[in-house]
Amino acid sequence: MKGLIRAQISAAALAANLRRIREQAPRSRVLAVIKANAYGHGSLPVARCLVAAGADALAVARLEEALALRAAGITAPVVLLEGVFTRAEMAEAVAGRLDFVVHDEEQLALLEQTAGGARACAVWMKIDTGMNRLGFRADAVAAAMQRLEALSHHVAGIRLMTHFACADDRASPMTGEQMKRFAALVGDKPYERSLANSAAIFAAPESLGDWVRPGLALYGVSPFADGEGAALGLSPAMRLVSTVITVRDVPAGESVGYGGVWRASRASRIAIVAAGYGDGLPWSLSSGVTVVIGAHRLPLVGRVSMDMIAVDVTGTPVSTGDEAVLWGPEQPVEWQARAARTIPYELLCGVSQRVPLQIA
Ligand SMILES: *Cc1c(COP(=O)(O)O)cnc(C)c1O
């Protein structure tokens, strides 16, 4: 048995998802969001794959993530979505030719204090249109814009962005409201604009702008609470698969696992699979979750342990060494997220360090 649990990453699926996004946003450039280790898929291999597939730029949340890309030889534009927070970080961003967001007065001041400017860096001015997380508020936009424009010869370019709070809810009036506010605040400024995340790319075609910023959709996963990536023409890029390490008989009336929370109502056959919360499966995954073994979708029973789960395989031919799929093309991560009362973002980002990533 090679490696028990592993996350198989499909380069073909990543490339196909990028093509699907381009089809949806044919006039926009694509800023491929690969923060948090590319949503658990492995930032370096995913960066290489998406750049080869034609992504226009990459985006990460933290300076360390960007520097790791540069250290590995990635020369594509990389955007720091939260910007930089100290002079030292600014110096590293400038030296690394990183583009960065400026979302508040302090970051603007850091840029103003950067001797020699940031001539190789495009600056993304973030405008808050209702998310109330990052970005200049409406009453601060004009002054910030003026200060940024005064630096325009010291940076590679100015771009304007905002972020939607409710784009995953097609019925929410918030997205339209945010678009209106953004349009009013940026007026006829001659700079490139970016608004749309994955959800808006599919649900708000009027929001596409010069750059779209897909994350989840690149990995083939739906940002909407209902439905799966396949319904949007996307293919799951990760297949999280492990191995049956033993199969045992459990008599009627006996329980399985910690707390004895599941009890066999009939003589049962239980497969133990090497996957637990130590690998990133939430402890809260329990009733309603299935594991695919061979051609069968079989129910997880009892609690998730650190290293193992139990699956009821009664009446199904399952043996030690069989593959057991937690999520992937056989059953979307969206289903598992719903069963665990979480979101697919969290399950994907949660795949732990000890799970080897195999990109092919
Ligand atoms: C994470 C992030 C995205 C990508 O969001 P998805 O929902 O994964 O498409 C886009 N823009 C910003 C500013 C982000 O932080």
Side-chain angles (χ1 to χ4, degrees):
M1 277 178 268
K2 37 182 187 345
L4 297 181
I5 188 166
R6 63 264 184 212
Q8 299 169 331
I9 311 301
S10 163
L14 290 167
N17 294 331
L18 179 59
R19 280 197 302 276
R20 176 72 190 95
I21 288 163
R22 286 213 186 279
E23 207 173 271
Q24 198 71 16
R27 283 179 291 281
S28 309
R29 276 185 276 172
V30 175
L31 178 52
V33 180
I34 60 163
K35 60 195 176 186
N37 201 29
Y39 292 45
H41 294 64
S43 52
L44 258 185
V46 168
R48 290 200 178 103
C49 169
L50 290 174
V51 168
D56 299 286
L58 305 168
V60 296
R62 307 278 157 80
L63 179 63
E64 293 70 23
E65 298 176 307
L67 294 177
L69 295 173
R70 285 287 182 261
I74 304 279
T75 55
V78 176
V79 181
L80 295 170
L81 290 172
E82 296 171 6
V84 296
F85 299 96
T86 63
R87 283 180 190 227
E89 284 193 1
M90 178 65 85
E92 291 197 85
V94 169
R97 307 170 67 88
L98 302 173
D99 300 335
F100 50 86
V101 165
V102 165
H103 61 69
D104 69 3
E105 300 277 333
E106 290 172 47
Q107 291 190 325
L108 193 49
L110 272 179
L111 182 57
E112 288 168 337
Q113 292 155 16
T114 303
R119 284 194 178 78
C121 309
V123 177
W124 294 73
M125 179 179 170
K126 187 158 187 177
I127 296 173
D128 179 20
T129 52
M131 178 77 145
N132 270 312
R133 197 178 58 175
L134 300 182
F136 293 96
R137 287 183 60 85
D139 57 4
V141 167
M145 182 89 77
Q146 211 168 27
R147 283 168 65 184
L148 195 52
E149 287 181 315
L151 298 171
S152 60
H153 298 297
H154 301 278
V155 298
I158 297 175
R159 293 171 189 161
L160 305 171
M161 67 181 286
T162 194
H163 194 52
F164 294 127
C166 304
D168 59 324
D169 176 0
R170 290 182 165 95
S172 171
M174 184 75 166
T175 306
E177 187 55 43
Q178 288 191 262
M179 284 167 54
K180 251 188 270 168
R181 289 180 199 161
F182 186 71
L185 288 167
V186 304
D188 54 5
K189 290 290 180 191
Y191 308 120
E192 291 175 358
R193 299 160 192 215
S194 176
L195 301 88
N197 56 2
S198 295
I201 290 168
F202 289 94
E206 337 75 73
S207 77
L208 297 175
D210 300 295
W211 289 84
V212 290
R213 306 191 305 271
L216 197 66
L218 284 170
Y219 309 101
V221 177
S222 171
F224 303 107
D226 53 347
E228 296 83 48
L232 305 172
L234 302 168
S235 320
M238 182 190 292
R239 182 170 184 261
L240 183 64
V241 58
S242 190
T243 310
V244 174
I245 55 173
T246 191
V247 186
R248 61 196 298 120
D249 290 309
V250 175
E254 291 195 13
S255 67
V256 171
Y258 286 117
V261 293
W262 184 85
R263 202 167 284 280
S265 59
R266 42 132 163 81
S268 299
R269 206 68 195 134
I270 299 295
I272 305 300
V273 173
Y277 55 80
D279 303 295
L281 293 188
W283 187 80
S284 57
L285 269 187
S286 51
S287 53
V289 168
T290 56
V291 175
V292 174
I293 303 177
H296 307 275
R297 281 184 64 207
L298 301 159
L300 184 147
V301 297
R303 284 196 181 140
V304 174
S305 303
M306 188 180 294
D307 312 302
M308 286 173 265
I309 50 174
V311 180
D312 184 357
V313 301
T314 310
T316 308
V318 168
S319 7
T320 301
D322 284 357
E323 274 198 344
V325 180
L326 282 313
W327 57 72
E330 294 91 339
Q331 61 170 359
V333 66
E334 291 92 324
W335 295 0
Q336 308 295 52
R338 252 166 257 153
R341 297 168 182 276
T342 179
I343 51 176
Y345 296 84
E346 190 180 33
L347 292 186
L348 294 173
C349 291
V351 171
S352 81
Q353 288 266 330
R354 81 172 180 192
V355 178
L357 300 172
Q358 306 173 337
I359 193 154

